[in-house]
Every structure is written in structure tokens, then in C-alpha cells.
Amino acid sequence: MNHSKPSPLDVQLQVLSALMLRDMRTRFGRTIWGNLVVVLWPTAHVMIIVATMAIRHMPAPLGDSLVQFIFTGMAPMVVFIYLSRKMMEGIVTNRPLLSFPDVKFLDICLSRAAVEVLNLAASVALTMLILFAVGVDPIPEHPATAVAALCGTFLFALGMGFINANIVILFPPYAVGFSLIIILMYALSGVFFVPDGMPQELYDAFLWNPMTNAIMWFRSAYYPGHGENASPLYLMMSGGVLLLIGLIWEKTLTKKSL
């Protein structure tokens, strides 16, 4: 009886599946409640910020609902924060697995990214259901634009996640320092304000931030006419360039250090 040798692609898929299952079981436990907690965590992140801003009774910079405005800024930002950070944490916690011949740096990054994408998609959907339940309309006027903006944000976060994973292998304290980058992204991306009203020189500077473009693009699905200067191409090219740099970095420097 002949037993065909599995192809490299089959081996790769088996490794990714095993890493995803291991990731979910070690982080979430073997029950549905563990998975629910992980989905609820980003949702709680968004809702706490939304509730905090709503309590202050600030006027909405766009539209009639401050809650909707904050949600449209927080949704892309949470996608960026969680995906880029969790990929970095994944390579830290799973580094011992690299001693197995079939497990590669790329496998750990991709498996963690796949798990996080699924979790974040569920979290955004759950947040929208909660907002709908409390009387806030979370449905965009242009759903395709909103989905495209989140996909572009996923790509940028994926590229940043690969960069983070490479850096933390060479410099472990970076895992803590990335928190400062997150704070800067909150302050400089337009989550809580509209960059359009700034002086032209400052506004142009803000547009160099890919996440500013991501948020403006996502908000344009809710507020027609907003975000005309946002560049989806710039956001996606930024993600693609970071991803390419991360892959080259892994093949040249990270592999040697490992």
C-alpha cells in the first residue's frame, strides 16, 4: 500500500491549523465562554470609550450622534491596535515552538493574525448590535465603503504586526514601548475629532498618518461628503510596504537571530 508524502502546502496548512487551535485553547480555554470573553474584550474597549465621551455631552463634530461619531473612529483604531499588538505577543508566547522543524516565524504570525481577524470581525459586529439595541443607528449609508475601509485597516495592521514581531525578537522591551505608539495613534489619528477643521499645514501633516486615512475612509461610509481627501490607496500601499519589509526582515535578520 502506497502512502503519498504530503505536499509542502499540506504541511503548511496543517501547521497553521494546529497553531490556530493551540492559540485558541491556550488563550480562550476549551469552552465557548472563553471565546466569548475574547470577542467581548475589544467590544468593551469600544463601548467604554463611547460611553465616556457620551457622558460628557460633547457636541458631535459630524452628524447628530456623538456615539456614532466615536464608534466610527474607534472601530478602525481597535482593529489596528489589537491585530498589530496580538501578532507581536503571539511571537513572544509561541517562540519555543520555533524549535520544531515544521514551525516557522511566518506560521506563528499568520495563525495569530487569522485568529485575531475572526475575533475582531465578531467584535465589530457585536458592537454594532449593542449600539442598535440602545437606539444608535450603526448601519452605514454605504456598507461596501465601510467594509472596504476595515479591510484596508486589516492590511495595514497586518503589516505593522509583522514589523512588531520582528522588532520584539531582536529587542523584547519593545513590547512595552509599543503602548506609547498606541497612545500617539489615538492622539494623532482623528478618533475624537475631525482633522478637516485644522490649519491646512497641520491637516496635510495628519494625512501622512495611514490611520487618519483609515478613519476618514470608514467615516465616509456614514457621513457622505466627509473624507474626500482620504487616500485608500495610501493606506493599502502603507500596509503592503510594511508587510514586504517585515517579510524581508524576517528572511535576513530575524532568521539569523533565531
Side-chain angles (χ1 to χ4, degrees):
M1 184 175 181
N2 294 326
H3 295 281
S4 59
K5 184 178 180 180
S7 67
L9 179 59
D10 290 334
V11 173
Q12 184 84 15
L13 293 176
Q14 290 172 6
V15 169
L16 287 175
S17 299
L19 287 172
M20 289 177 66
L21 287 173
R22 181 184 185 277
D23 190 23
M24 289 187 288
R25 287 176 178 174
T26 53
R27 291 170 58 203
F28 314 151
R30 295 176 180 269
T31 67
I32 190 173
W33 302 111
N35 288 271
L36 183 60
V37 168
V38 174
V39 172
L40 284 172
W41 196 256
T43 300
H45 188 164
V46 175
M47 295 307 299
I48 289 172
I49 298 295
V50 167
T52 301
M53 300 301 291
I55 290 172
R56 298 175 63 183
H57 300 292
M58 297 173 58
L62 288 174
D64 300 321
S65 171
L66 177 63
V67 172
Q68 185 186 68
F69 175 78
I70 298 300
F71 164 71
T72 55
M74 283 296 298
M77 183 57 67
V78 164
V79 166
F80 167 76
I81 290 172
Y82 277 80
L83 181 53
S84 59
R85 189 181 66 191
K86 292 298 183 181
M87 286 178 66
M88 175 178 62
E89 293 175 355
I91 203 68
V92 172
T93 57
N94 292 315
R95 184 169 180 168
L97 296 179
L98 294 172
S99 59
F100 293 97
D102 289 333
V103 180
K104 305 293 190 295
F105 176 93
L106 184 62
D107 298 325
I108 294 176
C109 288
L110 290 178
S111 64
R112 176 57 68 96
V115 172
E116 287 305 318
V117 167
L118 294 175
N119 289 336
L120 288 166
S123 294
V124 171
L126 180 59
T127 303
M128 294 176 72
L129 285 175
I130 294 173
L131 292 178
F132 187 79
V134 299
V136 178
D137 184 11
I139 308 300
E141 292 192 25
H142 303 287
T145 300
V147 172
L150 287 180
C151 288
T153 308
F154 274 123
L155 176 61
F156 177 65
L158 182 67
M160 192 68 205
F162 269 103
I163 295 294
N164 288 345
N166 280 291
I167 295 176
V168 81
I169 287 291
L170 300 175
F171 186 61
Y174 175 77
V176 178
F178 185 65
S179 300
L180 298 177
I181 296 178
I182 290 175
I183 294 172
L184 286 175
M185 294 299 280
Y186 265 119
L188 302 177
S189 297
V191 175
F192 307 114
F193 60 90
V194 179
D196 307 49
M198 294 183 168
Q200 189 62 43
E201 295 79 5
L202 193 57
Y203 178 56
D204 292 340
F206 266 80
L207 290 178
W208 283 102
N209 179 357
M211 281 308 300
T212 299
N213 289 270
I215 292 172
M216 291 174 65
W217 185 14
F218 185 71
R219 278 184 173 147
S220 70
Y222 289 81
Y223 308 104
H226 173 71
E228 294 180 349
N229 293 328
S231 175
L233 179 61
Y234 174 66
L235 173 66
M236 292 185 289
M237 285 184 63
S238 298
V241 169
L242 288 177
L243 185 58
L244 180 61
I245 292 173
L247 293 173
I248 295 174
W249 190 340
E250 186 272 332
K251 290 295 183 184
T252 54
L253 298 176
T254 303
K255 182 177 288 187
K256 293 179 180 179
S257 66
L258 292 172

PDB file of all heavy atoms in Angstrom, residues 46-76:
ATOM      1  N   VAL A  46     -14.294  49.464  22.986  1.00  0.00           N
ATOM      2  CA  VAL A  46     -15.011  50.476  22.208  1.00  0.00           C
ATOM      3  C   VAL A  46     -16.120  51.110  23.040  1.00  0.00           C
ATOM      4  O   VAL A  46     -16.273  52.338  23.089  1.00  0.00           O
ATOM      5  CB  VAL A  46     -15.602  49.855  20.924  1.00  0.00           C
ATOM      6  CG1 VAL A  46     -16.450  50.890  20.178  1.00  0.00           C
ATOM      7  CG2 VAL A  46     -14.495  49.347  20.021  1.00  0.00           C
ATOM      8  N   MET A  47     -16.918  50.270  23.725  1.00  0.00           N
ATOM      9  CA  MET A  47     -18.083  50.769  24.440  1.00  0.00           C
ATOM     10  C   MET A  47     -17.700  51.665  25.617  1.00  0.00           C
ATOM     11  O   MET A  47     -18.409  52.631  25.923  1.00  0.00           O
ATOM     12  CB  MET A  47     -18.939  49.594  24.927  1.00  0.00           C
ATOM     13  CG  MET A  47     -19.560  48.770  23.800  1.00  0.00           C
ATOM     14  SD  MET A  47     -20.496  49.766  22.595  1.00  0.00           S
ATOM     15  CE  MET A  47     -21.749  50.486  23.636  1.00  0.00           C
ATOM     16  N   ILE A  48     -16.580  51.360  26.294  1.00  0.00           N
ATOM     17  CA  ILE A  48     -16.148  52.203  27.416  1.00  0.00           C
ATOM     18  C   ILE A  48     -15.773  53.597  26.918  1.00  0.00           C
ATOM     19  O   ILE A  48     -16.153  54.612  27.520  1.00  0.00           O
ATOM     20  CB  ILE A  48     -14.969  51.543  28.155  1.00  0.00           C
ATOM     21  CG1 ILE A  48     -15.451  50.315  28.940  1.00  0.00           C
ATOM     22  CG2 ILE A  48     -14.289  52.533  29.099  1.00  0.00           C
ATOM     23  CD1 ILE A  48     -14.324  49.497  29.532  1.00  0.00           C
ATOM     24  N   ILE A  49     -15.023  53.647  25.812  1.00  0.00           N
ATOM     25  CA  ILE A  49     -14.654  54.956  25.252  1.00  0.00           C
ATOM     26  C   ILE A  49     -15.892  55.710  24.791  1.00  0.00           C
ATOM     27  O   ILE A  49     -16.051  56.919  25.041  1.00  0.00           O
ATOM     28  CB  ILE A  49     -13.667  54.779  24.081  1.00  0.00           C
ATOM     29  CG1 ILE A  49     -12.365  54.119  24.555  1.00  0.00           C
ATOM     30  CG2 ILE A  49     -13.376  56.118  23.424  1.00  0.00           C
ATOM     31  CD1 ILE A  49     -11.559  54.939  25.521  1.00  0.00           C
ATOM     32  N   VAL A  50     -16.798  54.998  24.107  1.00  0.00           N
ATOM     33  CA  VAL A  50     -18.028  55.626  23.614  1.00  0.00           C
ATOM     34  C   VAL A  50     -18.850  56.170  24.773  1.00  0.00           C
ATOM     35  O   VAL A  50     -19.334  57.316  24.740  1.00  0.00           O
ATOM     36  CB  VAL A  50     -18.850  54.603  22.796  1.00  0.00           C
ATOM     37  CG1 VAL A  50     -20.259  55.135  22.550  1.00  0.00           C
ATOM     38  CG2 VAL A  50     -18.174  54.311  21.462  1.00  0.00           C
ATOM     39  N   ALA A  51     -19.010  55.366  25.833  1.00  0.00           N
ATOM     40  CA  ALA A  51     -19.806  55.795  26.984  1.00  0.00           C
ATOM     41  C   ALA A  51     -19.161  56.982  27.691  1.00  0.00           C
ATOM     42  O   ALA A  51     -19.854  57.926  28.107  1.00  0.00           O
ATOM     43  CB  ALA A  51     -19.974  54.630  27.956  1.00  0.00           C
ATOM     44  N   THR A  52     -17.839  56.952  27.813  1.00  0.00           N
ATOM     45  CA  THR A  52     -17.127  58.048  28.484  1.00  0.00           C
ATOM     46  C   THR A  52     -17.334  59.368  27.749  1.00  0.00           C
ATOM     47  O   THR A  52     -17.600  60.412  28.372  1.00  0.00           O
ATOM     48  CB  THR A  52     -15.626  57.735  28.566  1.00  0.00           C
ATOM     49  OG1 THR A  52     -15.439  56.518  29.296  1.00  0.00           O
ATOM     50  CG2 THR A  52     -14.874  58.861  29.263  1.00  0.00           C
ATOM     51  N   MET A  53     -17.231  59.329  26.431  1.00  0.00           N
ATOM     52  CA  MET A  53     -17.420  60.553  25.657  1.00  0.00           C
ATOM     53  C   MET A  53     -18.874  61.008  25.667  1.00  0.00           C
ATOM     54  O   MET A  53     -19.169  62.206  25.686  1.00  0.00           O
ATOM     55  CB  MET A  53     -16.940  60.327  24.219  1.00  0.00           C
ATOM     56  CG  MET A  53     -15.462  59.941  24.101  1.00  0.00           C
ATOM     57  SD  MET A  53     -14.334  61.178  24.802  1.00  0.00           S
ATOM     58  CE  MET A  53     -14.558  62.513  23.619  1.00  0.00           C
ATOM     59  N   ALA A  54     -19.806  60.032  25.663  1.00  0.00           N
ATOM     60  CA  ALA A  54     -21.226  60.385  25.650  1.00  0.00           C
ATOM     61  C   ALA A  54     -21.635  61.049  26.953  1.00  0.00           C
ATOM     62  O   ALA A  54     -22.472  61.976  26.961  1.00  0.00           O
ATOM     63  CB  ALA A  54     -22.066  59.139  25.396  1.00  0.00           C
ATOM     64  N   ILE A  55     -21.074  60.588  28.070  1.00  0.00           N
ATOM     65  CA  ILE A  55     -21.408  61.157  29.383  1.00  0.00           C
ATOM     66  C   ILE A  55     -21.019  62.635  29.465  1.00  0.00           C
ATOM     67  O   ILE A  55     -21.657  63.432  30.153  1.00  0.00           O
ATOM     68  CB  ILE A  55     -20.720  60.346  30.502  1.00  0.00           C
ATOM     69  CG1 ILE A  55     -21.375  58.968  30.620  1.00  0.00           C
ATOM     70  CG2 ILE A  55     -20.773  61.071  31.826  1.00  0.00           C
ATOM     71  CD1 ILE A  55     -20.661  58.028  31.559  1.00  0.00           C
ATOM     72  N   ARG A  56     -19.974  63.003  28.727  1.00  0.00           N
ATOM     73  CA  ARG A  56     -19.506  64.389  28.756  1.00  0.00           C
ATOM     74  C   ARG A  56     -20.421  65.321  27.961  1.00  0.00           C
ATOM     75  O   ARG A  56     -20.272  66.541  28.012  1.00  0.00           O
ATOM     76  CB  ARG A  56     -18.083  64.463  28.204  1.00  0.00           C
ATOM     77  CG  ARG A  56     -17.076  63.663  29.032  1.00  0.00           C
ATOM     78  CD  ARG A  56     -15.708  63.662  28.395  1.00  0.00           C
ATOM     79  NE  ARG A  56     -15.137  65.005  28.316  1.00  0.00           N
ATOM     80  CZ  ARG A  56     -13.969  65.283  27.746  1.00  0.00           C
ATOM     81  NH1 ARG A  56     -13.252  64.306  27.199  1.00  0.00           N
ATOM     82  NH2 ARG A  56     -13.527  66.518  27.722  1.00  0.00           N
ATOM     83  N   HIS A  57     -21.370  64.757  27.200  1.00  0.00           N
ATOM     84  CA  HIS A  57     -22.349  65.532  26.430  1.00  0.00           C
ATOM     85  C   HIS A  57     -21.685  66.535  25.491  1.00  0.00           C
ATOM     86  O   HIS A  57     -22.128  67.678  25.356  1.00  0.00           O
ATOM     87  CB  HIS A  57     -23.315  66.262  27.374  1.00  0.00           C
ATOM     88  CG  HIS A  57     -24.098  65.344  28.254  1.00  0.00           C
ATOM     89  ND1 HIS A  57     -25.066  64.493  27.769  1.00  0.00           N
ATOM     90  CD2 HIS A  57     -24.031  65.132  29.595  1.00  0.00           C
ATOM     91  CE1 HIS A  57     -25.589  63.805  28.772  1.00  0.00           C
ATOM     92  NE2 HIS A  57     -24.971  64.158  29.892  1.00  0.00           N
ATOM     93  N   MET A  58     -20.617  66.091  24.865  1.00  0.00           N
ATOM     94  CA  MET A  58     -19.962  66.952  23.880  1.00  0.00           C
ATOM     95  C   MET A  58     -20.774  66.961  22.578  1.00  0.00           C
ATOM     96  O   MET A  58     -21.409  65.959  22.235  1.00  0.00           O
ATOM     97  CB  MET A  58     -18.540  66.433  23.606  1.00  0.00           C
ATOM     98  CG  MET A  58     -17.627  66.466  24.809  1.00  0.00           C
ATOM     99  SD  MET A  58     -16.038  65.651  24.456  1.00  0.00           S
ATOM    100  CE  MET A  58     -15.477  66.636  23.050  1.00  0.00           C
ATOM    101  N   PRO A  59     -20.761  68.052  21.850  1.00  0.00           N
ATOM    102  CA  PRO A  59     -21.459  68.060  20.559  1.00  0.00           C
ATOM    103  C   PRO A  59     -20.726  67.171  19.552  1.00  0.00           C
ATOM    104  O   PRO A  59     -19.504  67.059  19.579  1.00  0.00           O
ATOM    105  CB  PRO A  59     -21.400  69.533  20.137  1.00  0.00           C
ATOM    106  CG  PRO A  59     -20.210  70.084  20.862  1.00  0.00           C
ATOM    107  CD  PRO A  59     -20.144  69.342  22.166  1.00  0.00           C
ATOM    108  N   ALA A  60     -21.487  66.559  18.685  1.00  0.00           N
ATOM    109  CA  ALA A  60     -20.895  65.677  17.684  1.00  0.00           C
ATOM    110  C   ALA A  60     -20.229  66.503  16.589  1.00  0.00           C
ATOM    111  O   ALA A  60     -20.881  67.366  15.990  1.00  0.00           O
ATOM    112  CB  ALA A  60     -21.959  64.771  17.074  1.00  0.00           C
ATOM    113  N   PRO A  61     -18.931  66.291  16.306  1.00  0.00           N
ATOM    114  CA  PRO A  61     -18.269  67.034  15.237  1.00  0.00           C
ATOM    115  C   PRO A  61     -18.881  66.764  13.861  1.00  0.00           C
ATOM    116  O   PRO A  61     -18.807  67.611  12.974  1.00  0.00           O
ATOM    117  CB  PRO A  61     -16.825  66.529  15.293  1.00  0.00           C
ATOM    118  CG  PRO A  61     -16.662  66.018  16.693  1.00  0.00           C
ATOM    119  CD  PRO A  61     -17.991  65.449  17.056  1.00  0.00           C
ATOM    120  N   LEU A  62     -19.468  65.570  13.707  1.00  0.00           N
ATOM    121  CA  LEU A  62     -20.157  65.212  12.470  1.00  0.00           C
ATOM    122  C   LEU A  62     -21.490  64.584  12.823  1.00  0.00           C
ATOM    123  O   LEU A  62     -21.598  63.818  13.786  1.00  0.00           O
ATOM    124  CB  LEU A  62     -19.336  64.204  11.648  1.00  0.00           C
ATOM    125  CG  LEU A  62     -18.078  64.693  10.944  1.00  0.00           C
ATOM    126  CD1 LEU A  62     -17.344  63.515  10.310  1.00  0.00           C
ATOM    127  CD2 LEU A  62     -18.408  65.736   9.879  1.00  0.00           C
ATOM    128  N   GLY A  63     -22.514  64.884  12.043  1.00  0.00           N
ATOM    129  CA  GLY A  63     -23.808  64.268  12.261  1.00  0.00           C
ATOM    130  C   GLY A  63     -24.472  64.726  13.553  1.00  0.00           C
ATOM    131  O   GLY A  63     -24.089  65.730  14.163  1.00  0.00           O
ATOM    132  N   ASP A  64     -25.477  63.955  13.976  1.00  0.00           N
ATOM    133  CA  ASP A  64     -26.265  64.322  15.154  1.00  0.00           C
ATOM    134  C   ASP A  64     -25.953  63.457  16.367  1.00  0.00           C
ATOM    135  O   ASP A  64     -26.424  63.749  17.461  1.00  0.00           O
ATOM    136  CB  ASP A  64     -27.763  64.208  14.836  1.00  0.00           C
ATOM    137  CG  ASP A  64     -28.178  65.118  13.691  1.00  0.00           C
ATOM    138  OD1 ASP A  64     -27.661  66.250  13.636  1.00  0.00           O
ATOM    139  OD2 ASP A  64     -28.999  64.686  12.859  1.00  0.00           O
ATOM    140  N   SER A  65     -25.180  62.387  16.180  1.00  0.00           N
ATOM    141  CA  SER A  65     -24.939  61.449  17.277  1.00  0.00           C
ATOM    142  C   SER A  65     -23.453  61.392  17.616  1.00  0.00           C
ATOM    143  O   SER A  65     -22.635  60.970  16.787  1.00  0.00           O
ATOM    144  CB  SER A  65     -25.447  60.047  16.895  1.00  0.00           C
ATOM    145  OG  SER A  65     -25.049  59.098  17.854  1.00  0.00           O
ATOM    146  N   LEU A  66     -23.109  61.794  18.835  1.00  0.00           N
ATOM    147  CA  LEU A  66     -21.719  61.697  19.279  1.00  0.00           C
ATOM    148  C   LEU A  66     -21.298  60.239  19.397  1.00  0.00           C
ATOM    149  O   LEU A  66     -20.159  59.892  19.070  1.00  0.00           O
ATOM    150  CB  LEU A  66     -21.551  62.392  20.635  1.00  0.00           C
ATOM    151  CG  LEU A  66     -20.151  62.307  21.259  1.00  0.00           C
ATOM    152  CD1 LEU A  66     -19.117  63.018  20.388  1.00  0.00           C
ATOM    153  CD2 LEU A  66     -20.158  62.880  22.671  1.00  0.00           C
ATOM    154  N   VAL A  67     -22.206  59.377  19.834  1.00  0.00           N
ATOM    155  CA  VAL A  67     -21.890  57.956  19.981  1.00  0.00           C
ATOM    156  C   VAL A  67     -21.510  57.347  18.635  1.00  0.00           C
ATOM    157  O   VAL A  67     -20.522  56.618  18.520  1.00  0.00           O
ATOM    158  CB  VAL A  67     -23.089  57.198  20.595  1.00  0.00           C
ATOM    159  CG1 VAL A  67     -22.849  55.690  20.558  1.00  0.00           C
ATOM    160  CG2 VAL A  67     -23.324  57.659  22.025  1.00  0.00           C
ATOM    161  N   GLN A  68     -22.284  57.675  17.605  1.00  0.00           N
ATOM    162  CA  GLN A  68     -21.974  57.153  16.278  1.00  0.00           C
ATOM    163  C   GLN A  68     -20.633  57.692  15.785  1.00  0.00           C
ATOM    164  O   GLN A  68     -19.831  56.957  15.195  1.00  0.00           O
ATOM    165  CB  GLN A  68     -23.072  57.523  15.279  1.00  0.00           C
ATOM    166  CG  GLN A  68     -22.874  56.895  13.899  1.00  0.00           C
ATOM    167  CD  GLN A  68     -23.898  57.394  12.892  1.00  0.00           C
ATOM    168  OE1 GLN A  68     -23.878  58.564  12.513  1.00  0.00           O
ATOM    169  NE2 GLN A  68     -24.796  56.511  12.473  1.00  0.00           N
ATOM    170  N   PHE A  69     -20.362  58.953  16.056  1.00  0.00           N
ATOM    171  CA  PHE A  69     -19.104  59.551  15.629  1.00  0.00           C
ATOM    172  C   PHE A  69     -17.913  58.856  16.281  1.00  0.00           C
ATOM    173  O   PHE A  69     -16.929  58.519  15.613  1.00  0.00           O
ATOM    174  CB  PHE A  69     -19.087  61.046  15.969  1.00  0.00           C
ATOM    175  CG  PHE A  69     -17.779  61.721  15.674  1.00  0.00           C
ATOM    176  CD1 PHE A  69     -17.432  62.071  14.382  1.00  0.00           C
ATOM    177  CD2 PHE A  69     -16.875  61.981  16.697  1.00  0.00           C
ATOM    178  CE1 PHE A  69     -16.206  62.677  14.107  1.00  0.00           C
ATOM    179  CE2 PHE A  69     -15.659  62.593  16.434  1.00  0.00           C
ATOM    180  CZ  PHE A  69     -15.326  62.937  15.139  1.00  0.00           C
ATOM    181  N   ILE A  70     -17.985  58.625  17.609  1.00  0.00           N
ATOM    182  CA  ILE A  70     -16.887  57.975  18.309  1.00  0.00           C
ATOM    183  C   ILE A  70     -16.730  56.535  17.830  1.00  0.00           C
ATOM    184  O   ILE A  70     -15.613  56.048  17.646  1.00  0.00           O
ATOM    185  CB  ILE A  70     -17.107  58.017  19.832  1.00  0.00           C
ATOM    186  CG1 ILE A  70     -17.142  59.475  20.315  1.00  0.00           C
ATOM    187  CG2 ILE A  70     -16.004  57.247  20.550  1.00  0.00           C
ATOM    188  CD1 ILE A  70     -15.874  60.239  20.039  1.00  0.00           C
ATOM    189  N   PHE A  71     -17.842  55.853  17.605  1.00  0.00           N
ATOM    190  CA  PHE A  71     -17.777  54.474  17.106  1.00  0.00           C
ATOM    191  C   PHE A  71     -17.052  54.404  15.766  1.00  0.00           C
ATOM    192  O   PHE A  71     -16.224  53.516  15.542  1.00  0.00           O
ATOM    193  CB  PHE A  71     -19.183  53.890  16.959  1.00  0.00           C
ATOM    194  CG  PHE A  71     -19.228  52.644  16.118  1.00  0.00           C
ATOM    195  CD1 PHE A  71     -18.706  51.447  16.593  1.00  0.00           C
ATOM    196  CD2 PHE A  71     -19.767  52.671  14.833  1.00  0.00           C
ATOM    197  CE1 PHE A  71     -18.726  50.293  15.809  1.00  0.00           C
ATOM    198  CE2 PHE A  71     -19.786  51.531  14.041  1.00  0.00           C
ATOM    199  CZ  PHE A  71     -19.265  50.346  14.536  1.00  0.00           C
ATOM    200  N   THR A  72     -17.327  55.352  14.883  1.00  0.00           N
ATOM    201  CA  THR A  72     -16.710  55.318  13.559  1.00  0.00           C
ATOM    202  C   THR A  72     -15.208  55.600  13.621  1.00  0.00           C
ATOM    203  O   THR A  72     -14.471  55.267  12.686  1.00  0.00           O
ATOM    204  CB  THR A  72     -17.376  56.330  12.614  1.00  0.00           C
ATOM    205  OG1 THR A  72     -17.344  57.640  13.205  1.00  0.00           O
ATOM    206  CG2 THR A  72     -18.813  55.939  12.332  1.00  0.00           C
ATOM    207  N   GLY A  73     -14.758  56.237  14.707  1.00  0.00           N
ATOM    208  CA  GLY A  73     -13.315  56.407  14.889  1.00  0.00           C
ATOM    209  C   GLY A  73     -12.687  55.239  15.610  1.00  0.00           C
ATOM    210  O   GLY A  73     -11.565  54.827  15.308  1.00  0.00           O
ATOM    211  N   MET A  74     -13.412  54.658  16.564  1.00  0.00           N
ATOM    212  CA  MET A  74     -12.869  53.579  17.376  1.00  0.00           C
ATOM    213  C   MET A  74     -12.793  52.253  16.631  1.00  0.00           C
ATOM    214  O   MET A  74     -11.873  51.460  16.879  1.00  0.00           O
ATOM    215  CB  MET A  74     -13.721  53.411  18.639  1.00  0.00           C
ATOM    216  CG  MET A  74     -13.480  54.452  19.711  1.00  0.00           C
ATOM    217  SD  MET A  74     -11.793  54.379  20.370  1.00  0.00           S
ATOM    218  CE  MET A  74     -11.774  52.727  21.071  1.00  0.00           C
ATOM    219  N   ALA A  75     -13.746  51.974  15.758  1.00  0.00           N
ATOM    220  CA  ALA A  75     -13.766  50.669  15.083  1.00  0.00           C
ATOM    221  C   ALA A  75     -12.466  50.403  14.309  1.00  0.00           C
ATOM    222  O   ALA A  75     -11.810  49.372  14.519  1.00  0.00           O
ATOM    223  CB  ALA A  75     -14.989  50.565  14.170  1.00  0.00           C
ATOM    224  N   PRO A  76     -12.024  51.316  13.416  1.00  0.00           N
ATOM    225  CA  PRO A  76     -10.745  51.064  12.740  1.00  0.00           C
ATOM    226  C   PRO A  76      -9.559  51.065  13.703  1.00  0.00           C
ATOM    227  O   PRO A  76      -8.621  50.274  13.532  1.00  0.00           O
ATOM    228  CB  PRO A  76     -10.632  52.227  11.737  1.00  0.00           C
ATOM    229  CG  PRO A  76     -12.009  52.757  11.590  1.00  0.00           C
ATOM    230  CD  PRO A  76     -12.669  52.536  12.905  1.00  0.00           C
TER     231      PRO A  76
END
